[in-house]
Amino acid sequence: MTIMANIEEAGFRPAARIASVGVSKILQIGAKAAAMKREGLPVIILGAGEPDFDTPDHIKEAAKAAIDAGETKYTALDGTPQLKQAISAKFRRENGLDYAVDEVTVATGAKQILFNAFMATIDPGDEVIIPTPYWTSYSDIVEVCGGTSVLVPCDAQSGFRLQAEQLEKAITPKTRWVLLNSPSNPSGAAYSAKDYQPLIDVLLAHPHVWLMVDDMYEHIIYDGFTFVTPVALEPRLKSRALTINGVSKAYAMTGWRIGYAGGPKALIKAMAVIQSQATSCPSSVSQAAAVAALNGPQAFLKDRQDSFKRRRDLVVGRLNAIEGLECRTPEGAFYTYASCAGVLDKVTPKGQKITTDADFTDYLLEEAHVAVVPGSAFGLSPFFRISYATSEAELVEALDRVEKACAALQG
Ligand code: PLP
């Protein structure tokens, strides 16, 4: 269902620019699961896109100190000098990237970074190449900004990673951006230097195409995987790349709403123009907290990574033991993206045939009271996403129920 249909029911005339934007399937499932919970049903929701950890104390303390020091006013438009310094230092320290403070921008979450960047660069008809499965906001933001999303399916065989031939084929004279996300929401797949290189080679041959990379899950990686970001691998891309990151996932700060990016000065300035008419600046208190996150101790990230890894192994192991399901081991993030091809065409105990991944996830919600998100919400079927950012006890209970529900299918 589109937002348009919803709003028209309420008697409004919505703007044409939101006509093609869907109400997130994730939100729809979340709302249904929450309603079932209110009715007293024991629903387990494995849909959350945020860590279940708390924001570390030293970050909270920095925010309290900022309030007490009167840092409660508008700040510089696209980030305080202190935060831009901290980001510039982070890029150098962790990524080997050389972004000066005037090549850095801060916004109200990485989501606003994406919005600012597309608003500032896309004209009607401009194309943005997005590999799927993808975080659905990407294409929705592109469409709201008047662009055209060019979705390129990347299957499990290729590790859900875009291949050079696919990129080459998708590029047209109208291509403005290609958008890569590693580790990925929803697949957890990540690109190594070796995976990136052929894509970089294609980009070097097409100078009109800009590269946007979303490194949001950089700190949630497993099994000694080495995180890399393309501009560090190929500095010639720096003049036409935007490297996006944020504090939401690494530091469990989703509610503080701070995202940031490094890019060429002209783009950063254009993004600030959009921000100046949208939010004026990110929250002053949250920016002080983000300074503490980036400049403060980083050791706890490893403990959190270990905890996520245990849960990843638990979920992947259990899913692969269930007949009809198949799950590749993700390199990062806190999601699994399992195939449910093996349960399609089976029939539920109530006699309903499962023909799509959405049928399967509806069945899991209604009969097993487990809320997960179908691959159709992320542009690649038949799969379903589990977010394992929840307790191991809850994961075990949820997987017991999924196993039982799958065993009850006939045919
Ligand atoms: N990028 C990806 C891949 C995400 O999954 C999310 C949030 O779910 C974001 C960006 C947005 O993060 P923020 O909280 O900074 O807006």
Side-chain angles (χ1 to χ4, degrees), residues 76-405:
L77 176 55
D78 66 346
T80 61
Q82 294 87 337
L83 182 50
K84 287 191 171 192
Q85 277 291 355
I87 293 165
S88 173
K90 176 263 182 267
F91 275 138
R92 196 162 303 115
R93 182 180 69 238
E94 296 184 346
N95 306 117
L97 290 171
D98 187 20
Y99 284 119
V101 286
D102 57 359
E103 294 173 309
V104 165
T105 185
V106 185
T108 303
K111 197 176 236 180
Q112 196 192 7
I113 293 281
L114 287 155
F115 194 82
N116 291 347
F118 287 134
M119 279 298 269
T121 57
I122 285 183
D123 284 319
D126 284 347
E127 294 174 354
V128 179
I129 296 172
I130 306 172
T132 75
Y134 66 114
W135 185 45
T136 25
S137 289
Y138 292 151
S139 71
D140 286 341
I141 296 172
V142 167
E143 308 283 326
V144 166
C145 294
T148 302
S149 308
V150 177
L151 303 180
V152 182
C154 301
D155 56 22
Q157 284 73 38
S158 57
F160 300 117
R161 285 184 280 259
L162 183 67
Q163 303 300 301
E165 320 77 72
Q166 292 178 296
L167 176 58
E168 182 72 58
K169 234 172 113 188
I171 291 174
T172 75
K174 288 183 176 168
T175 307
R176 192 76 214 266
W177 291 98
V178 54
L179 172 44
L180 301 177
N181 170 216
S182 167
S184 148
N185 175 9
S187 72
Y191 290 75
S192 65
K194 213 167 134 226
D195 297 320
Y196 269 136
Q197 197 53 54
L199 300 175
I200 289 171
D201 292 341
V202 173
L203 287 170
L204 289 176
H206 296 276
H208 73 288
V209 179
W210 284 50
L211 173 65
M212 198 179 289
V213 284
D214 180 346
D215 293 341
M216 179 56 75
Y217 293 91
E218 162 182 13
H219 285 293
I220 307 173
I221 45 170
Y222 313 114
D223 307 327
F225 183 88
T226 304
F227 174 85
V228 280
T229 194
V231 176
L233 292 172
E234 179 44 85
R236 278 178 292 173
L237 286 178
K238 191 180 169 210
S239 59
R240 53 180 168 115
L242 186 70
T243 302
I244 300 175
N245 213 315
V247 294
S248 285
K249 316 287 172 164
Y251 302 98
M253 291 177 69
T254 46
W256 298 78
R257 311 305 305 125
I258 296 292
Y260 59 86
K265 259 186 248 177
L267 170 62
I268 296 297
K269 269 193 189 158
M271 289 168 66
V273 170
I274 301 298
Q275 180 147 298
S276 72
Q277 301 306 345
T279 54
S280 294
C281 65
S283 148
S284 58
V285 175
S286 295
Q287 289 188 72
V291 171
L294 295 176
N295 287 348
Q298 306 292 316
F300 68 94
L301 295 176
K302 173 80 178 69
D303 298 338
R304 293 183 171 192
Q305 218 176 72
D306 291 346
S307 164
F308 276 134
K309 180 184 158 17
R310 278 195 304 278
R311 304 182 211 180
R312 179 204 65 168
D313 291 344
L314 166 73
V315 175
V316 172
R318 289 290 306 270
L319 286 173
N320 279 325
I322 297 173
E323 206 190 312
L325 306 185
E326 200 180 335
C327 186
R328 88 179 268 283
T329 304
E331 292 84 11
F334 39 72
Y335 309 104
T336 57
Y337 202 66
S339 165
C340 55
V343 299
L344 298 186
D345 292 334
K346 293 197 175 184
V347 178
T348 71
K350 285 190 178 153
Q352 277 155 344
K353 192 167 168 186
I354 298 202
T355 48
T356 64
D357 50 22
D359 290 345
F360 179 59
T361 58
D362 283 348
Y363 168 62
L364 290 184
L365 181 56
E366 270 147 39
E367 300 304 321
H369 299 143
V370 175
V372 297
V373 186
S376 52
F378 305 105
L380 194 77
S381 292
F383 291 89
F384 64 104
R385 187 192 81 170
I386 285 180
S387 162
Y388 51 85
T390 190
S391 73
E392 283 179 48
E394 205 161 49
L395 288 170
V396 169
E397 170 63 22
L399 288 156
D400 284 349
R401 293 191 205 168
V402 171
E403 185 177 75
K404 216 166 132 205

